[in-house]
Amino acid sequence: MNLENHVRLDGNTAVVYANEYLNKIMGERIERECRDRIASGCSRLMVSFRDTEIVNSIGISILLGVIDAASDADTEVLFTDVNDDIAHLFETLGLTRHAQIVASLN
Amino acid sequence: MSEPQQKLIHTFSALADIGQEVAHKYNFHEMIRTSFHLLLGSLAIMRGGIARYSRLGNELNFLAVRGLGDDFPVSTSIDPADELEFLSAGMSPIELSQAKMLIFFQQYQPIVEKKGIELIIPMIVHDELVGLVMLGEKASGEPFNSADRAIVQAMARHIGVGIYQRNLMMELERKAEQNRRMYEEMRLTYADTVKSFAAAIDYKDKYTEGHSVRVGKYSELIARQLDWSDERIEGVAVAGYLHDVGKLTVERNIINSPQRIDAKESAELNKHPAVGYEILLPIHHPYTDVPLAAKYHHERLDGRGYPDGLSDNEIPYIAKIVALADSFDAMTTNRPYKARRPANEVVEDLQRNSGKQFAPELVTALCEGMLSELEGTSKDRSFRKLLGREYMEASEMVPMLKDILNGINATGPLTLIASH
């Protein structure tokens, strides 16, 4: 899996595109990449769900790993381009207590 | 969709996925990692760990951990009293307050309290502790309710089955390895016993000392030249070592007679193949046809051999190999009534009797083996060791072997297979 198209830097903000990989064990690499960006000093991490229709339990777990790493480093986590179902799920499971959902990258 | 419905679907999907994961993943560590994500993600649990328990050494090893910090001890030992506590809990989640009573927990208490671990679930399969799951707080901040506990308990049970299967597989592999070693030891013991027998046979005949061992070696070298498997090569070597076992029942004065024996003595001596067969038949040899090699190693392709006067296709293939090895050794060693024959005569004899006494493809194999040693295409030095360097390196040997190899119409591979 090539992560070049999944992560991009915008100043101090790392933008991560969580596509279908998030819901598989391969999603661990997205988590690792996020951790690396946090370790290298990104103050904000935006996870875009632009190409993601659903998030399963593996995806939730990986996002929790990102949130955990971010909280240790005082990095803000934002979720963007989230459809209604995913937004509802995040709210139900309590992810929105740790990461705010924003409308879009802009 | 209402909130409880969505939550229910999400957790049940995770439960279904974990069952599939355990049943179909062949990579154990990937199965554990995936199951761990499914477990944490099902209820959005912030942190936790999965550990495998090994009764050998009472070791607890964490296979997957998240959010518990770098100083979390990933390996520890479990006190037998704790194991009993876990077994009595019977997979019910243990609250942190109860866990504090456990001996092993003392090591984890500071970190667990700091990281907010709330539940410990023993994984028990067939009344055996196979591991445990530690779970921290939920992302929602809500405490685990009874439905949550039932879900994590069910998922832990699935993971426990996966660990149990892995343990069984490892145990099987360990047992298989143990059996392989035992078999190897038995094989070596058998080989030593066979060699002792060969030495005992040869001890009886002072003029042919080492004959059985050499016939075993020549048989092995011929079979090797035929590209046989190691197991079959060992089998034919054993047949060579034991081919004369019947001689143990022949009077020593007949065997050791310094002159040609008379007809009566010859008849007595000629019983040794059949007697050898009777001796070897009740033994459970790891190789087939060892008794047949003893019985028929004096048969000839042209039907003029003994004891049964069998011809070509009637003679077991292993007996043909041993017969050639036996005759070759008889010709190339000193006997009480006959001196060792010069190399050129032996090669001529092989050529003359190929197709009559000996199977042509076996004569070819024997000659090719010697030639490859003489020309250095083989690093093996077995023929030199058995025949002596001077004998082996007689000036006419190489051209004679080449002549014989050009002249013999060796039986093709199809006939070889049919003969087995």
Side-chain angles (χ1 to χ4, degrees):
Chain A
M1 174 176 117
N2 182 4
L3 283 179
E4 274 177 23
N5 299 326
H6 297 271
V7 183
R8 75 173 168 82
L9 269 181
D10 187 357
N12 265 347
T13 301
V15 184
V16 180
Y17 294 91
N19 54 26
E20 75 275 17
Y21 291 121
L22 183 69
N23 294 322
K24 297 173 187 168
I25 194 72
M26 282 188 287
E28 283 182 342
R29 292 188 61 178
I30 294 177
E31 183 183 338
R32 269 201 296 279
E33 186 68 19
C34 288
R35 284 178 184 273
D36 288 348
R37 301 290 170 176
I38 292 164
S40 62
C42 280
S43 58
R44 184 190 276 178
L45 199 67
M46 295 187 83
V47 185
S48 168
F49 293 86
R50 193 184 60 189
D51 303 317
T52 312
E53 283 188 26
I54 53 160
V55 177
N56 70 8
S57 290
I58 295 176
I60 295 291
S61 171
I62 284 163
L63 292 173
L64 288 172
V66 173
I67 289 169
D68 190 58
S71 72
D72 285 347
D74 284 331
T75 302
E76 185 186 15
V77 180
L78 300 171
F79 295 152
T80 70
D81 305 313
V82 182
N83 68 32
D84 288 348
D85 286 341
I86 295 175
H88 195 215
L89 181 70
F90 286 174
E91 215 162 294
T92 303
L93 293 173
L95 268 70
T96 46
R97 290 180 71 225
H98 308 273
Q100 198 188 337
I101 296 177
V102 294
S104 71
L105 286 174
N106 304 318
Chain B
M1 193 188 302
S2 70
E3 189 175 304
Q5 271 179 325
Q6 191 180 26
K7 202 171 169 182
L8 207 60
I9 289 169
H10 177 75
T11 50
F12 271 96
S13 302
L15 195 56
D17 286 348
I18 213 166
Q20 204 170 358
E21 195 65 30
V22 169
H24 297 295
K25 266 279 159 57
Y26 298 110
N27 180 328
F28 175 71
H29 289 282
E30 195 173 312
M31 181 278 283
I32 289 290
R33 272 167 43 224
T34 308
S35 301
F36 184 52
H37 282 303
L38 288 166
L39 176 60
L40 295 186
S42 64
L43 296 173
I45 299 162
M46 295 296 289
R47 51 189 66 92
I50 293 179
R52 177 161 87 180
Y53 177 61
S54 165
R55 294 190 84 179
L56 281 170
N58 301 88
E59 274 182 24
L60 188 73
N61 293 299
F62 278 84
L63 305 171
V65 172
R66 223 245 328 266
L68 297 177
D70 295 336
D71 48 351
F72 183 81
V74 291
S75 189
T76 189
S77 58
I78 293 254
D79 193 275
D82 285 353
E83 188 180 343
L84 286 176
E85 282 294 325
F86 285 130
L87 289 171
S88 65
M91 287 209 74
S92 299
I94 299 170
E95 301 284 344
L96 195 62
S97 55
Q98 294 169 280
K100 284 176 183 171
M101 313 292 284
L102 300 167
I103 301 162
F104 98 99
F105 195 71
Q106 310 307 318
Q107 193 184 356
Y108 289 93
Q109 191 167 350
I111 202 161
V112 158
E113 283 180 350
K114 186 176 148 196
K115 294 290 182 180
I117 291 294
E118 294 188 7
L119 295 176
I120 295 177
I121 308 161
M123 290 186 282
I124 296 162
V125 182
H126 293 308
D127 298 325
E128 196 181 300
L129 180 69
V130 295
L132 56 85
V133 172
M134 279 188 186
L135 296 175
E137 62 184 338
K138 295 198 298 182
S140 64
E142 295 163 356
F144 286 92
N145 60 30
S146 57
D148 293 341
R149 285 161 195 267
I151 287 161
V152 292
Q153 194 176 332
M155 294 180 94
R157 192 184 298 277
H158 276 294
I159 299 168
V161 168
I163 293 175
Y164 184 78
Q165 284 172 345
R166 166 74 171 183
N167 290 349
L168 276 183
M169 194 57 78
M170 285 175 71
E171 183 61 14
L172 275 176
E173 281 168 9
R174 198 179 63 79
K175 285 266 163 67
E177 175 62 19
Q178 222 172 32
N179 284 345
R180 197 193 59 73
R181 282 188 194 158
M182 267 175 62
Y183 171 76
E184 187 63 20
E185 278 172 24
M186 281 170 66
R187 205 176 58 80
L188 291 175
T189 307
Y190 174 83
D192 285 346
T193 309
V194 165
K195 283 175 189 169
S196 304
F197 257 97
I201 298 160
D202 294 343
Y203 180 73
K204 192 161 185 183
D205 185 348
K206 66 176 179 180
Y207 293 108
T208 59
E209 195 180 352
H211 170 67
S212 300
V213 173
R214 285 193 301 274
V215 171
K217 293 274 182 197
Y218 287 131
S219 301
E220 180 184 331
L221 291 168
I222 294 166
R224 201 171 292 287
Q225 210 62 35
L226 296 172
D227 280 335
W228 279 17
S229 67
D230 287 347
E231 196 187 321
R232 291 183 73 199
I233 290 171
E234 275 179 24
V236 77
V238 166
Y241 284 130
L242 298 176
H243 76 288
D244 268 347
V245 71
K247 279 190 178 171
L248 287 171
T249 63
V250 180
E251 292 290 333
R252 193 183 279 264
N253 61 341
I254 297 176
I255 295 174
N256 290 326
S257 173
Q259 62 269 333
R260 281 203 177 275
I261 51 177
D262 61 28
K264 192 182 167 193
E265 290 169 329
S266 181
E268 184 63 26
L269 183 62
N270 289 355
K271 284 180 189 168
H272 81 271
V275 173
Y277 176 76
E278 294 300 326
I279 292 171
L280 295 174
L281 193 61
I283 299 170
H284 292 285
H285 301 276
Y287 319 103
T288 55
D289 298 347
V290 172
L292 290 176
K295 187 171 183 178
Y296 296 122
H297 73 273
H298 282 295
E299 297 289 357
R300 296 166 52 103
L301 262 60
D302 56 16
R304 291 170 54 211
Y306 67 95
D308 294 341
L310 301 181
S311 58
D312 195 356
N313 288 337
E314 296 171 318
I315 305 169
Y317 206 71
I318 194 169
K320 290 181 183 176
I321 295 176
V322 174
L324 175 61
D326 186 32
S327 297
F328 183 70
D329 185 61
M331 289 189 278
T332 53
T333 50
N334 290 318
R335 292 290 165 113
Y337 45 84
K338 201 187 272 182
R340 177 189 210 188
R341 293 167 64 185
N344 62 326
E345 278 188 30
V346 173
V347 176
E348 277 169 17
D349 192 292
L350 291 175
Q351 191 165 24
R352 194 170 51 251
N353 285 301
S354 174
K356 297 174 190 163
Q357 184 178 355
F358 311 122
E361 73 274 15
L362 298 182
V363 174
T364 300
L366 178 69
C367 293
E368 277 176 348
M370 286 194 282
L371 189 62
S372 62
E373 259 194 54
L374 285 166
E375 290 191 322
T377 51
S378 161
K379 286 180 181 171
D380 195 6
R381 293 288 177 268
S382 299
F383 281 106
R384 273 189 180 81
K385 282 181 196 159
L386 290 162
L387 293 165
R389 190 175 170 177
E390 205 177 318
Y391 189 89
M392 181 73 175
E393 292 179 1
S395 58
E396 67 273 31
M397 197 68 144
V398 171
M400 280 192 318
L401 287 171
K402 283 185 174 171
D403 275 355
I404 193 173
L405 287 171
N406 286 331
I408 290 175
N409 182 19
T411 312
L414 284 176
T415 317
L416 258 173
I417 292 162
S419 309
H420 290 181

